[in-house]
């Protein structure tokens, strides 16, 4: 809603020193979102005057039409002589009054005007268009042609109201009253503590039986319909400058006098109106629901097929308008046309004014159904004051009589469905309890009266809500009115005081440690939406009976193409990887932690919990029983270079070992060491896939997978070759952990290092050998590291050599050579027993 400050001052006597910024601050404190204050005419400097075109000379020999004009500007140029101006526009003629800017002036945009030679002539100024003056929406698209009554030399800056401030307010869905000057003026008056001159307080004649006939067949969709008739309109009458300028400042285009007046009253009072050419209306006006398949051509020239839920305005022929949205072309106000033979001006001379109140939901659904949002529909769907209809109709009639020379017919039609004022019961101290601040009954009643409510009672108030505030429906709404008018800034700021010893749970700490560890390892967190298409499981290469294919489907998904909840993090991560590669990033390491969803053992439909009381324990348990199982997973994908090339070396591409190391990083944050075994699972390459195990209460449990992705998966997702990934079940990792991770103790005794090279069959995994060495070495083993893998003639065909560095240390003494050797021999013996390993060279 655009609110010109000059217009606002008509209803509230603001101090002369108050600027748009000052009013903005007051309204923001009162709860309105004033986004900007536009300074119209900023930097504008005269002389800018009214001129009369004396002569026009057409200049030849140029690519576009050019005219050399002389214009009478009176004494504005200091000489009284005609001003010579070159102009390319053609929508004016000799004798027309135009707006002229003279040398020395500055137009908006810091455009300085000076005499200059152009097209072989010297132009002493410029004849202005609305765009050049920053006047806003316009239909002419050319030079401003003024009415003939304006005197030559008149200051055009004041005449055209070029200097003003406009407040741009983002009106929320519940404050439809503020989509009008009346509503914003009321808020301004409250903010400044000043009286309001309500533009809706008009003398309105009582309805009678000889008004224009109207039949309302749907009183629920239309509970109020006012019709007035004005005849004898002058088809040559044009909207005065002040009316056009107010519409332009409010963001609307001037069209014709009758239409401009209905738009003006809509902005002023918030009541949408429509004017019908009475000579084109066939019989009584009706209001009903459309019949399926009915057609209507609206004012935008579009032929629309109507729905049975659409509320329409009709005459004897059928629909003549979409109620509350847009009128029909068959009763449109006609533009004035001059008969070339007789010179007679023809146009609309009789109009029927409609001021009605329609159901907000019906109008909103019709506007969305037809993808047709209008200024009228925006107001109806947010709530229009039903009591303002008759005043808006009277205001429209008055302006048509004043500006178009019309005559108001005595007939007044007003059809009203019976209704009672809405009342709300509220404790007088309810706003105090909501805000945590003591206002007192007198303040509560005073603030409610300021917004238009009537309040009666002492401890228990009975509040009658004004007709222009349909959003006030319960005590909390009334409490909000009191609190916002008293000032949100005055609410006490109290920090919560949690009980001692509370904080993050160990589960939450683990999740945070995992995220920090992966980020520290060079990974970037990339959260994704949890919605997937079931076809993605084919792309991942999952078997038909795989448990991850069993999904939870949404009843109302955001996208019909992705109706299911994810059972693995890989689809989102791989899609993110593909998107970033497509944007030119080739060296990527991404991770995500998030929930995955599996159907519960007893699937069912969740019951709706009550909102008027706390659910019982049984109701909560029943709800939890049908919720899907939602374990938290962590996943990572890697592509491109893991180590960049530079002066320090050639760099290294990412491979399956980096994915396994990322999984180990996660496990170490829980104080665990993963057991890594060769495996095979859908998305991963069968020869480069690791199964990752942990021990949960002594039971070996699968926690996830890591390795290089299968070439078919890489191709299906459009990923770089050799892309790698890992995914772990964080809940399993948490259960396997032993609570808070203890910092390692630093021994003061030296380490004893023993290297051992073992020859095993080629199919034996290094992880199996490492696990056996760890189990056999005992408590003295501090760490074990694989530092060399060899296969060749020296170890024999079908064999490989694995070299490990074993570090031994005791916490209370320096180990002897014999102790370290004995531990190493025990480790080798266990490896030989478990894997058939033989010491190399033995």
């Amino acid at each position: 809603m655009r609110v010109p400050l000059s217009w606002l001052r008509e209803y509230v006597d603001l101090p002369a020193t108050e600027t748009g910024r000052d009013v903005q601050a007051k309204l923001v404190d009162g709860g309105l979102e004033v986004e900007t204050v536009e300074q119209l005419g900023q930097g504008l400097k005269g002389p800018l005057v009214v001129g009369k075109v004396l002569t026009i000379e057409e200049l030849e020999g140029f690519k576009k039409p050019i005219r050399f004009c002389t214009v009478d500007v009176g004494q504005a140029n200091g000489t009284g002589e005609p001003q010579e101006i070159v102009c390319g526009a053609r929508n004016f003629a000799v004798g027309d009054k135009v707006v002229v800017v003279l040398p020395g002036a500055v137009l908006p945009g810091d455009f300085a005007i000076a005499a200059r030679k152009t097209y072989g002539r010297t132009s002493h100024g410029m004849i202005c268009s609305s765009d050049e003056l920053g006047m806003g929406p316009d239909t002419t698209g050319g030079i401003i042609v003024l009415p003939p009554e304006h005197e030559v030399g008149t200051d055009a800056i004041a005449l055209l109201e070029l200097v003003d401030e406009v407040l741009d307010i983002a009106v929320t869905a519940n404050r439809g009253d503020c989509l009008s000057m009346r509503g914003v003026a009321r808020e301004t008056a409250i903010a400044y503590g000043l009286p309001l001159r309500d533009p809706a307080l008009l003398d309105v004649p009582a309805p009678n039986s000889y008004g224009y006939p109207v039949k309302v067949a749907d009183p629920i969709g239309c509970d109020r319909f006012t019709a007035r008739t004005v005849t004898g309109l002058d088809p040559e009458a044009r909207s005065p400058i002040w009316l056009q300028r107010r519409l332009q400042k409010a963001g609307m285009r001037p069209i014709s006098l009758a239409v401009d007046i209905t738009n003006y009253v809509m902005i002023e009072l918030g009541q949408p109106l429509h004017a019908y050419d009475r000579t084109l209306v066939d019989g009584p006006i009706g209001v009903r629901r459309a019949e399926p398949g009915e057609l209507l051509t609206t004012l935008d020239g579009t032929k629309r097929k109507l729905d049975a839920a659409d509320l329409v305005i009709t005459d004897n022929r059928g629909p003549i308008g979409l109620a509350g949205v847009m009128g029909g072309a068959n009763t449109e106000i006609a533009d004035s046309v001059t008969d070339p033979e007789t010179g007679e001006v023809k146009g609309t001379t009789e109009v029927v004014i409609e001021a009605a109140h329609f159901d907000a939901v019906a109008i909103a659904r019709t506007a969305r159904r037809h993808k047709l949002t209008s200024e009228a529909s925006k107001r109806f769907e947010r709530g229009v004051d039903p009591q303002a209809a008759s005043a808006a109709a009277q205001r429209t009639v008055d302006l048509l009589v004043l500006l178009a020379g019309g005559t108001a017919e005595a007939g007044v039609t007003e059809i009203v469905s019976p209704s009672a004022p809405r009342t709300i019961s509220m404790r007088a101290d309810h706003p105090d309890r909501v805000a945590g601040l003591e206002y007192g009954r007198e303040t509560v009643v005073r603030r409610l009266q300021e917004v238009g409510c009537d309040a009666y009672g002492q401890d228990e108030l009975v509040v009658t809500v004004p007709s222009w505030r349909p959003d006030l429906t319960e005590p909390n709404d009334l409490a909000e009115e009191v609190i916002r008018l008293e000032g949100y800034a005055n609410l006490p700021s109290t920090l919560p005081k949690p009980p001692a010893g509370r904080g993050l749970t160990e589960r939450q700490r683990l999740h945070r440690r995992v995220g920090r560890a992966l980020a520290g390892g060079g990974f970037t967190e990339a959260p994704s939406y949890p919605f997937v298409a079931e076809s993605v499981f084919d792309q991942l290469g999952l078997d038909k009976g795989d448990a991850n294919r069993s999904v939870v489907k949404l009843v109302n998904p955001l996208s019909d193409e992705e109706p299911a909840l994810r059972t693995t993090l890989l689809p989102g991560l791989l899609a993110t990887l593909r998107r970033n590669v497509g944007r030119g990033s080739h060296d990527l390491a991404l991770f995500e932690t998030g929930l995955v969803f599996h159907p519960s053992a007893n699937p069912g439909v969740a019951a709706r919990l009550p909102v008027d009381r706390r659910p019982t324990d049984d109701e909560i348990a029943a709800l939890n029983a049908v919720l899907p199982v939602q374990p938290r997973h962590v996943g990572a994908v890697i592509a491109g270079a893991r180590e960049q090339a530079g002066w320090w070396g050639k760099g290294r591409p990412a491979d399956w070992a980096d994915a396994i190391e990322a999984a180990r990083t996660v496990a170490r944050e829980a104080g665990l060491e993963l057991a890594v075994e060769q495996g095979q699972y859908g998305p991963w390459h069968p020869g480069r896939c690791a199964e990752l195990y942990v021990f949960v209460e002594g039971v070996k449990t699968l926690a996830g997978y890591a390795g290089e992705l299968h070439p078919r998966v890489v191709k299906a997702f459009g990923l770089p070759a050799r892309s790698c990934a890992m995914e772990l079940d964080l809940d399993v990792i948490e259960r396997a952990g032993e609570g808070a991770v203890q910092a390692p103790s630093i021994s003061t005794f030296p380490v004893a290092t023993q290297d051992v090279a073992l020859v095993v069959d080629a199919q034996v995994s290094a992880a199996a050998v490492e696990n056996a060495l760890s189990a056999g070495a005992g408590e003295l083993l501090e760490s074990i590291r694989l530092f060399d893998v060899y296969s060749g003639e020296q170890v024999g065909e079908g064999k490989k050599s694995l070299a490990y560095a074993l570090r031994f240390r005791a916490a209370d003494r320096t180990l002897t050579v014999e102790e370290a050797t004995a531990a190493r021999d025990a480790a080798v013996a266990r490896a030989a027993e478990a894997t058939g390993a033989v010491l190399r060279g033995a």
Side-chain angles (χ1 to χ4, degrees):
M1 176 69 187
R2 290 172 57 85
V3 179
L5 187 60
S6 59
W7 194 353
L8 186 63
R9 290 181 183 275
E10 282 200 5
Y11 313 119
V12 184
D13 289 326
L14 294 172
T17 56
E18 287 294 286
T19 66
R21 297 289 185 191
D22 299 329
V23 177
Q24 177 189 28
K26 288 281 190 179
L27 293 180
V28 168
D29 287 343
L32 290 185
E33 186 179 344
V34 185
E35 293 186 324
T36 59
V37 178
E38 184 179 349
Q39 306 290 331
L40 299 184
Q42 189 171 25
L44 177 64
K45 176 184 175 184
L48 186 72
V49 298
V50 176
K52 180 178 180 180
V53 180
L54 301 177
T55 65
I56 297 177
E57 178 187 351
E58 301 288 346
L59 301 183
E60 305 293 338
F62 300 102
K63 292 182 179 180
K64 61 180 181 178
I66 298 297
R67 309 166 98 188
F68 182 69
C69 311
T70 59
V71 185
D72 179 11
V73 295
Q75 297 298 319
N77 57 4
T79 65
E81 297 294 325
Q83 201 79 2
E84 296 179 339
I85 298 175
V86 175
C87 184
R90 308 190 66 78
N91 67 313
F92 63 96
V94 173
D96 283 344
K97 299 288 182 67
V98 294
V99 178
V100 179
V101 60
L102 301 177
V106 179
L107 294 184
D110 200 23
F111 180 27
I113 303 300
R116 65 188 182 96
K117 190 170 183 179
T118 179
Y119 296 103
R121 304 293 179 95
T122 300
S123 183
H124 298 274
M126 190 168 69
I127 302 175
C128 298
S129 69
S130 59
D131 288 340
E132 290 162 340
L133 297 179
M135 293 175 60
D138 184 35
T139 56
T140 63
I143 294 302
I144 302 169
V145 178
L146 300 171
E149 63 266 19
H150 296 291
E151 293 185 8
V152 169
T154 302
D155 180 14
I157 295 179
L159 176 66
L160 299 178
E161 303 177 15
L162 297 178
V163 179
D164 202 351
E165 294 180 277
V166 178
L167 285 71
D168 194 349
I169 303 176
V171 179
T172 54
N174 66 316
R175 291 304 304 272
D177 61 305
C178 288
L179 284 173
S180 66
M181 294 298 303
R182 180 194 184 201
V184 176
R186 183 181 294 108
E187 291 295 314
T188 305
I190 295 172
Y192 279 91
L194 296 171
L196 168 71
R197 286 188 290 274
D198 191 343
L201 295 179
L202 301 174
D203 290 331
V204 180
N208 49 56
S209 60
Y210 42 94
Y212 197 92
V214 175
K215 299 177 180 178
V216 177
D218 189 341
I220 295 177
C222 176
D223 57 10
R224 182 180 292 264
F225 196 106
T226 300
R228 300 289 298 276
T229 304
V230 181
T231 60
L233 300 179
D234 180 3
E236 292 187 89
R238 297 289 179 269
S239 300
I241 291 175
W242 65 266
L243 178 58
Q244 294 186 44
R245 290 296 294 133
R246 286 192 171 180
L247 290 176
Q248 288 173 330
K249 291 176 185 179
M252 300 190 73
R253 291 185 302 111
I255 297 173
S256 64
L257 179 57
V259 176
D260 291 349
I261 288 175
T262 58
N263 286 335
Y264 177 85
V265 175
M266 176 182 67
I267 295 172
E268 184 179 51
L269 301 182
Q271 169 67 53
L273 302 111
H274 190 71
Y276 302 93
D277 187 326
R278 190 169 78 164
T279 62
L280 300 178
V281 179
D282 182 7
I285 291 176
V287 183
R288 60 170 171 81
R289 299 287 173 168
E291 297 177 5
E294 276 190 307
L295 299 176
L296 170 66
T297 301
T298 47
L299 288 174
D300 59 357
T302 303
K303 181 176 286 188
R304 303 181 184 277
K305 186 176 181 180
L306 303 181
D307 186 271
D310 292 334
L311 197 64
V312 292
I313 311 298
T314 65
D315 64 4
N316 289 337
R317 297 165 298 177
I320 60 174
L322 267 179
V325 180
M326 185 174 285
N330 53 354
T331 55
E332 181 180 7
I333 300 295
D335 294 331
S336 60
V337 178
T338 303
D339 190 317
E341 296 181 359
T342 63
E344 180 185 0
V345 179
K346 297 181 179 180
T348 298
T349 59
E350 301 178 9
V351 297
V352 178
I353 304 300
E354 166 207 305
H357 185 262
F358 301 111
D359 177 61
V361 174
I363 301 306
R365 288 176 177 171
T366 295
R368 283 154 180 74
R369 187 180 300 116
H370 293 282
K371 297 181 175 61
L372 184 63
T373 299
S374 64
E375 291 293 331
S377 69
K378 284 194 299 185
R379 286 164 171 80
F380 277 122
E381 63 189 44
R382 286 167 172 78
V384 168
D385 180 6
Q387 303 292 337
S390 56
Q394 182 63 45
R395 177 70 164 142
T396 304
V397 169
D398 292 344
L399 288 173
L400 284 171
V401 170
L402 175 67
L403 302 177
T407 301
E409 289 195 350
V412 177
T413 302
E414 189 163 336
I415 298 176
V416 181
S417 296
S419 62
R422 186 170 63 258
T423 60
I424 302 173
S425 296
M426 179 185 75
R427 287 176 55 93
D429 63 349
H430 182 67
D432 302 4
R433 292 187 293 165
V434 172
L437 192 66
E438 185 174 348
Y439 294 120
R441 180 189 176 278
E442 290 186 3
T443 299
V444 170
V445 171
R446 174 172 58 85
R447 288 303 191 183
L448 292 177
Q449 289 174 341
E450 286 178 346
V451 299
C453 297
D454 290 327
Y456 304 96
Q458 291 299 318
D459 294 339
E460 188 75 22
L461 296 178
V462 177
V463 181
T464 303
V465 177
S467 58
W468 57 82
R469 291 300 302 273
D471 59 307
L472 303 181
T473 59
E474 59 179 40
N476 283 340
D477 296 330
L478 300 178
E480 182 183 3
E481 293 299 298
V482 175
I483 294 168
R484 75 176 180 87
L485 295 180
E486 284 295 306
Y488 292 121
N490 297 325
L491 293 176
S493 178
T494 306
L495 292 175
K497 296 180 180 179
R502 299 287 179 87
L504 296 178
T505 65
E506 182 54 36
R507 173 187 176 87
Q508 292 169 326
R509 292 192 182 98
L510 172 62
H511 295 165
R512 292 195 178 188
R513 289 200 306 270
V514 166
R516 284 195 294 265
L518 288 174
F523 287 80
T524 300
E525 188 169 14
S528 58
Y529 289 114
F531 312 115
V532 296
E534 291 184 88
S535 59
V536 77
F537 300 123
D538 295 327
Q539 294 177 293
L540 290 174
L542 299 185
D543 295 335
K544 295 297 182 182
D546 194 292
N548 280 336
R549 282 185 174 271
S550 180
V551 297
V552 177
K553 290 187 177 180
L554 299 173
V555 175
N556 187 23
L558 291 180
S559 169
D560 291 337
E561 296 179 356
E562 295 180 330
L565 292 172
R566 66 189 178 191
T567 55
T568 168
L569 299 180
L570 288 184
L573 281 169
L574 299 183
T576 303
L577 177 63
R578 179 183 63 239
R579 184 165 55 251
N580 283 274
V581 169
R583 292 173 179 172
S585 299
H586 301 294
D587 303 323
L588 295 163
L590 309 175
F591 83 94
E592 177 182 6
T593 60
L595 300 179
V596 298
F597 305 85
H598 299 280
S600 63
N602 300 307
V605 177
R608 290 180 179 269
L609 295 181
V611 295
D612 57 342
R613 59 175 175 81
R614 186 188 184 281
T616 65
D617 292 341
D618 290 341
E619 288 172 331
I620 296 174
L623 176 64
N624 289 333
V626 298
L627 290 178
V629 180
Q630 303 173 51
R632 181 172 291 273
H633 282 202
V634 57
V637 292
I638 318 169
R642 188 63 179 137
E643 295 177 4
Q644 296 291 334
W647 58 265
W648 53 84
K650 296 181 179 180
R652 180 179 65 81
D655 61 16
W656 57 269
D658 295 302
I660 296 175
E661 181 58 29
R664 283 177 163 152
T665 299
V666 172
R668 280 194 290 269
E669 293 303 319
L672 301 174
E673 283 294 331
L674 292 175
V676 181
E677 297 182 7
Q678 185 172 357
Q680 184 173 342
Y681 183 63
W684 281 274
H685 192 296
R688 303 186 182 99
C689 173
E691 295 178 347
L692 309 174
Y693 290 92
V694 293
F695 288 87
V696 179
E697 297 179 353
V699 179
K700 186 178 180 181
T701 305
L702 180 66
Y705 298 89
E708 182 180 314
L709 292 173
H710 198 290
R712 287 197 298 269
V713 175
V714 169
K715 182 179 179 180
F717 281 91
L719 306 176
R722 303 285 186 177
S723 295
C724 301
M726 78 85 181
E727 183 168 5
L728 286 174
D729 188 330
L730 268 180
D731 288 356
V732 172
I733 296 294
E734 180 193 4
R735 292 199 301 271
E738 298 179 356
V741 177
Q742 300 296 319
S745 59
I746 306 300
S747 176
T748 58
F749 297 98
V751 67
T753 302
Q754 296 276 349
D755 293 343
V756 58
L758 301 175
V759 178
V760 295
D761 292 338
Q763 67 269 21
V764 176
S765 67
V769 177
E770 181 178 323
N771 291 337
L773 289 172
S774 299
E779 297 181 354
L780 295 178
L781 181 66
E782 184 179 75
S783 67
I784 181 172
R785 178 174 62 87
L786 176 66
F787 66 86
D788 183 59
V789 178
Y790 172 76
S791 58
E793 295 180 359
Q794 296 184 18
V795 296
E797 185 177 355
K799 300 288 186 178
K800 61 182 177 182
S801 172
L802 305 175
Y804 295 90
L806 286 73
R807 291 166 56 91
F808 298 97
R809 193 189 322 248
D812 58 350
R813 66 188 188 282
T814 299
L815 292 177
T816 64
V817 174
E818 291 76 12
E819 288 177 308
T821 301
R824 183 202 66 182
D825 292 344
V828 171
R830 181 64 177 270
E833 178 184 350
T835 66
V838 178
L839 272 174
R840 186 173 175 182

